[in-house]
DNA sequence: TTGAATGATTTGGC
DNA sequence: GCCAAATCATTCAA
């Protein structure tokens, strides 16, 4: 992990005895040793406490000589020698020169690797986790997203609140695990970084370790831990996706409408059999009464029309039932003040109009499609095509089309 | 387990 | 954007 940079001899002291061409580490120091020996007037190691330049050079030669022989000594001797070297008065000067050389050569080699842009995949993962309410402040984002998704697809059934709380609790679990793991990684990263920094500081007593080098090392560690975090984020995203598909897929979670809701819809359908196309306003009203969405009302009428048309005979009994029921309601309405919800039809104009009795079979039991509101060509009465400009609703003045 | 019922989605026309 | 028609996917009763 820690690399001793080759000292190439491009430093400021090149040509003055500190040229370290071609060999990393101690080989470089060997060159220093040789060079200094050449320039130390045949230098005699061991001379100390001198005041002129010659003796200074002898000092350097002495230090280098001691460094070169330190590995040949026993551990105790080496420790003692190391201590002596650290206390040597020339040590700081030599050390700073080595640092300077290393800094220059190291920077030129590594500049290209730095300041790399943020990983776009990580950005996407972060955004997604934020949107799902897993990352960032807990504000019910996931649950809100769940509700929004379910509503937009028309899948909000009356008993969906239980499922949402289940979804919410599962999402909360994922969130909790994610944050615990993230915290663990961050803690491990901090601990490891501190450890490495301490090691480097310790090593800096015996080899040149620049602050820049420490910074770079910290950056490398952070990058490594960041890649682990990316994996964690990816797994979390997958878990959220699975959760979403399990809880929020409208098809998967289809629920039959309540009996009362079906009754309301059927009542409207059979009382408007000649033209079973509720206006936007009527759909909204029906949706309100049934506790479903407008799009669900549209779906229901779409399905009902097509299924009714395909098999009128099958729906005959149902049609009669609702026709009689509504007629009865209308008659009661004549006798007493009309109660909008008495038949489940709310404020609709279920006036026992002609539509109503189109569904009642003739006495002889025969039933024509015309009487059922369907023309021979398969179109509904008053509705030649979906794009007809006039309102298809015989008893509803509005037409949102 | 099976088949009918039913709500949702897709496709194509207008 | 709404609708018809076909289809899918799930629920539910036998």
């Amino acid at each position: 992990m820690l690399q001793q940079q080759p000292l190439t001899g491009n430093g400021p002291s090149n040509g003055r005895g500190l040229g370290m061409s071609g060999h990393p580490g101690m080989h470089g120091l060997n060159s220093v040793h040789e060079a200094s020996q050449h320039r130390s007037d045949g230098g005699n190691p061991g001379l100390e406490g001198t005041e002129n330049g010659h003796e200074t050079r002898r000092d350097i030669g002495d230090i280098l000589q001691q460094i070169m022989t330190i590995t040949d000594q026993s551990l105790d001797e080496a420790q003692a020698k190391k201590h002596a070297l650290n206390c040597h008065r020339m040590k700081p000067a030599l050390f700073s020169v080595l640092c300077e050389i290393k800094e220059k050569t190291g920077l030129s080699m590594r500049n290209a690797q730095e300041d790399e842009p943020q990983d776009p995949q990580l950005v996407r993962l972060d955004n997604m986790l934020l949107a799902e309410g897993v990352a960032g402040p807990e504000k019910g984002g996931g649950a809100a997203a769940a509700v929004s998704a379910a509503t937009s697809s028309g899948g909000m059934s009356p008993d969906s609140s239980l499922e949402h709380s289940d979804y919410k609790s599962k999402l909360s679990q994922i969130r909790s695990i994610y944050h615990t793991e993230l915290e663990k990684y961050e803690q491990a990263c901090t601990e490891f970084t501190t450890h490495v920094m301490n090691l480097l500081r310790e090593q800096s007593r015996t080899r040149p370790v620049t602050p820049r080098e420490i910074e770079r090392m910290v950056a490398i560690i952070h990058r490594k831990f960041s890649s682990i975090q990316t994996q964690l984020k990816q797994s979390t995203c997958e878990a959220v996706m699975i959760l979403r598909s399990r809880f929020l897929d409208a098809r998967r979670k289809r629920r039959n409408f309540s009996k009362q809701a079906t009754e309301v819809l059927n009542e409207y359908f059979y009382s408007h059999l000649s033209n079973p196309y509720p206006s936007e306003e009527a759909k909204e009203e029906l949706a309100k009464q049934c506790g479903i969405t407008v799009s669900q009302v549209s779906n229901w009428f779409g399905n009902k029309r097509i299924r009714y048309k395909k098999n009128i005979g099958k729906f005959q009994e149902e049609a009669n039932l609702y026709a009689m029921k509504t007629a009865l309601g209308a008659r009661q309405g004549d006798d007493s003040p009309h109660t909008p919800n008495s038949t489940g039809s709310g404020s609709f104009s279920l006036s026992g109009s002609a539509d109503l009795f189109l569904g009642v079979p003739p006495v002889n039991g025969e039933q024509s499609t015309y009487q059922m509101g369907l023309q021979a060509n398969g179109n509904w009465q008053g509705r030649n095509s979906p794009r007809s400009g006039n309102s298809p609703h015989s008893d509803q003045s509005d037409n949102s089309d």
Side-chain angles (χ1 to χ4, degrees), chain A residues 72-308:
Chain A
D72 300 331
Q73 295 165 347
S74 71
L75 194 62
D76 286 343
E77 279 177 329
Q79 285 290 349
K81 188 76 76 180
K82 186 180 151 191
H83 181 70
L85 280 168
N86 275 330
C87 298
H88 199 285
R89 69 188 186 89
M90 290 304 290
K91 189 246 178 180
L94 257 178
F95 194 79
S96 72
V97 169
L98 285 169
C99 280
E100 203 178 321
I101 293 167
K102 188 171 178 179
E103 181 73 8
K104 298 223 165 180
T105 54
L107 279 181
S108 65
M109 290 175 70
R110 293 203 180 192
N111 271 349
Q113 296 175 9
E114 295 190 354
D115 300 330
E116 57 186 47
Q118 207 181 353
D119 183 6
Q121 192 202 358
L122 191 60
V123 173
R124 274 201 303 276
L125 288 172
D126 279 336
N127 288 341
M128 187 186 158
L129 290 172
L130 212 59
E132 291 296 334
V134 175
E138 191 165 22
K139 56 185 190 310
V147 172
S148 145
T151 309
S152 66
S153 65
M156 276 285 282
S157 56
D159 57 345
S160 61
S161 60
L162 261 179
E163 285 155 19
H164 279 137
S165 71
D166 209 11
Y167 174 86
K168 223 170 151 181
S169 86
K170 289 269 191 292
L171 190 72
S172 174
Q173 273 179 31
I174 291 176
R175 184 188 158 87
S176 163
I177 292 167
Y178 170 76
H179 281 285
T180 308
E181 291 298 313
L182 202 64
E183 215 168 283
K184 264 194 228 167
Y185 285 136
E186 272 164 8
Q187 198 181 341
C189 182
T190 308
E191 277 174 15
F192 191 68
T193 305
T194 311
H195 178 68
V196 169
M197 281 172 78
N198 286 340
L199 273 177
L200 285 172
R201 282 202 195 96
E202 183 61 31
Q203 284 188 7
S204 72
R205 289 161 61 86
T206 51
R207 71 179 185 90
V209 179
T210 64
R212 193 66 193 255
E213 193 180 338
I214 294 175
E215 265 176 43
R216 274 200 295 270
M217 192 54 64
V218 169
I220 289 167
I221 294 168
H222 283 183
R223 270 204 292 276
K224 291 283 175 201
F225 273 89
S226 169
S227 76
I228 297 171
Q229 282 188 0
T230 304
Q231 283 173 25
L232 171 70
K233 286 173 183 176
Q234 208 157 9
S235 308
T236 308
C237 279
E238 280 167 16
V240 172
M241 285 294 99
I242 291 167
L243 189 71
R244 277 185 77 98
S245 71
R246 186 175 299 170
F247 277 82
L248 304 177
D249 187 324
R251 267 190 188 178
R252 201 180 289 273
K253 297 310 289 180
R254 184 180 75 77
R255 286 273 182 279
N256 289 353
F257 297 157
S258 69
K259 218 168 180 177
Q260 192 224 347
T262 312
E263 226 160 86
V264 171
L265 294 167
N266 272 318
E267 238 168 73
Y268 187 97
F269 181 82
Y270 288 113
S271 65
H272 296 73
L273 204 52
S274 67
N275 221 339
Y277 297 86
S279 65
E280 198 58 32
E281 211 173 74
K283 280 181 194 171
E284 279 170 19
E285 188 61 37
L286 284 167
K288 216 162 93 182
Q289 282 186 35
C290 300
I292 57 177
T293 65
V294 171
S295 54
Q296 281 178 303
V297 172
S298 299
N299 285 340
W300 189 92
F301 273 89
N303 284 323
K304 190 73 182 179
R305 281 192 299 263
I306 196 79
R307 284 163 187 165
Y308 176 83

